[in-house]
């Protein structure tokens, strides 16, 4: 939506769990900004891509209104707005275009530690405190449960102790907050991570090309995250067995080692190269193992 523009605007969280990783992800895509003094708007320098620093809850609305073109937000926040729109019979205006691999958490129903969990039916008639009424309502409907949703914008976990609710539906990562409030996770409604949210229809102006450029770079960065160049030598007849241990590898380069039956291999691997994996390679005949970081990649 909105008028034609030739700069791209990305909304990110101003301060919170997603702020730093979102900023550094965009920076690793080659973006940089001239800081404005109030730091609500950062003017893009290397590319015409500006940042808007906002509360994460505002990001879906800014996208819907066409004020921003993309946003980095938890899937939970995006899907909550989506669930709300769906319950009202309104069309979706934005969608997750990439999963970003940080900000991982779950949306769980948590019950008092003293209770046993027997299934969704036990929530019948309960009061459930949550900041995610849309997602909760969808789940309750899908499970044929009637319950009263108590919508709170924060401090959901103390609602049962205050007698405001029987159980809660809240974001959980380590579970420490639940334990501290004598609650335990009972069932997971969704797993979440930060996503790049964008429009459902492509841009008709100069933003289209910018968006394509940004997504190309982002894909390179995301692919690179866990990518390592693994180098080693082995006997030629041991190569097949070694490559079987590297199922996440791309097109290996094989070089004959002069005057021997050995080959040198270079393999780009996309999974974490842990010690056990290296030890398994060594066991299978790899010598001179080396794992190198990949600085940049352009597919
Ligand atoms: P804002 O001031 O921007 O509204 P906030 O308090 O709503 O901030 P944060 O607590 O920073 O937001 O969380 C932002 C996002 O981080 C969440 O929407 C969720 O996607 C993700 N997240 C990851 N782990 C957790 C967790 N344990 N609790 C809450 N959010 C988490
Ligand atoms: Mg928020």
């Amino acid at each position: 939506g909105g008028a034609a523009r030739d700069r791209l605007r990305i909304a990110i969280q101003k301060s919170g769990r997603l702020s730093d990783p979102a900023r550094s992800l965009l920076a690793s895509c080659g973006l940089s900004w001239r800081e404005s003094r109030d730091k609500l708007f950062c003017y893009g320098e290397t590319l015409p891509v500006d940042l808007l620093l906002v509360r994460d809850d505002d990001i879906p609305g800014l996208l819907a209104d066409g004020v921003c073109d993309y946003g980095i937000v938890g899937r939970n926040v995006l899907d909550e707005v989506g669930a709300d729109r769906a319950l009202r019979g309104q069309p979706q205006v934005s969608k997750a275009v990439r999963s970003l691999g940080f900000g991982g958490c779950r949306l769980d129903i948590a019950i008092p530690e003293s209770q046993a969990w027997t299934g969704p039916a036990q929530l019948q008639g309960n009061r459930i405190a949550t900041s995610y009424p849309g997602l909760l309502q969808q789940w309750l409907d899908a499970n044929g449960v009637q319950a009263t949703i108590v919508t709170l914008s924060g401090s959901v976990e103390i609602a049962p102790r205050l007698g405001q609710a029987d159980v809660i539906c809240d974001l959980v990562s380590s579970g420490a907050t639940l334990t501290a409030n004598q609650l335990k996770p009972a069932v997971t409604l969704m797993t979440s991570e930060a996503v790049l949210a964008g429009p459902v229809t492509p841009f008709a102006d100069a933003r289209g090309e910018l968006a394509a450029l940004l997504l190309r770079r982002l894909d390179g960065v995301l692919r690179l995250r866990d990518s390592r160049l693994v180098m080693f030598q082995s006997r030629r007849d041991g190569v097949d067995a070694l490559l079987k241990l590297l199922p996440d590898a791309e097109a290996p380069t094989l070089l004959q080692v002069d005057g021997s039956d050995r080959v040198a291999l270079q393999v780009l691997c996309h999974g974490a190269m842990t010690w056990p994996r290296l030890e398994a390679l060594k066991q299978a005949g790899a010598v001179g193992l080396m794992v190198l970081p990949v600085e940049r990649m352009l597919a």
Side-chain angles (χ1 to χ4, degrees), residues 24-168:
S24 64
L25 179 64
L26 294 173
S28 52
C29 292
L31 305 185
S32 69
W33 307 272
R34 190 194 309 152
E35 305 285 344
S36 71
R37 256 192 308 136
D38 57 4
K39 291 235 234 138
L40 292 175
F41 184 86
C42 305
Y43 186 83
E45 294 208 297
T46 37
L47 278 178
V49 180
D50 307 321
L51 289 189
L52 215 60
L53 307 187
V54 299
R55 289 203 53 190
D56 68 343
D57 317 72
D58 293 336
I59 292 177
L62 290 165
L63 290 172
D65 294 344
V67 174
C68 287
D69 305 307
Y70 286 105
I72 293 181
V73 67
R75 189 186 292 281
N76 51 299
V77 171
L78 190 67
D79 285 3
E80 171 60 22
V81 173
D84 186 58
R85 292 187 78 92
L87 290 167
R88 291 164 195 272
Q90 296 170 335
Q92 302 298 331
V93 286
S94 40
K95 61 172 184 191
V97 294
R98 294 293 185 278
S99 296
L100 301 178
F102 58 85
C105 57
R106 319 184 305 265
L107 183 64
D108 278 5
I109 288 180
I111 62 176
E113 267 170 357
S114 56
Q115 284 178 21
W117 175 249
T118 55
Q122 88 184 58
L123 299 172
Q124 185 70 28
N126 274 10
R127 292 163 305 154
I128 311 177
T130 190
S131 306
Y132 296 88
L135 290 169
L136 176 56
Q137 188 62 62
Q138 273 190 339
W139 184 86
L140 290 171
D141 290 348
N143 286 279
V145 176
Q146 267 148 359
T148 304
I149 298 178
V150 181
T151 304
L152 302 174
S153 59
S155 304
V156 169
E157 65 281 358
I158 62 168
R161 267 197 296 162
L162 298 179
Q164 223 174 354
D166 305 300
V167 303
I168 68 167

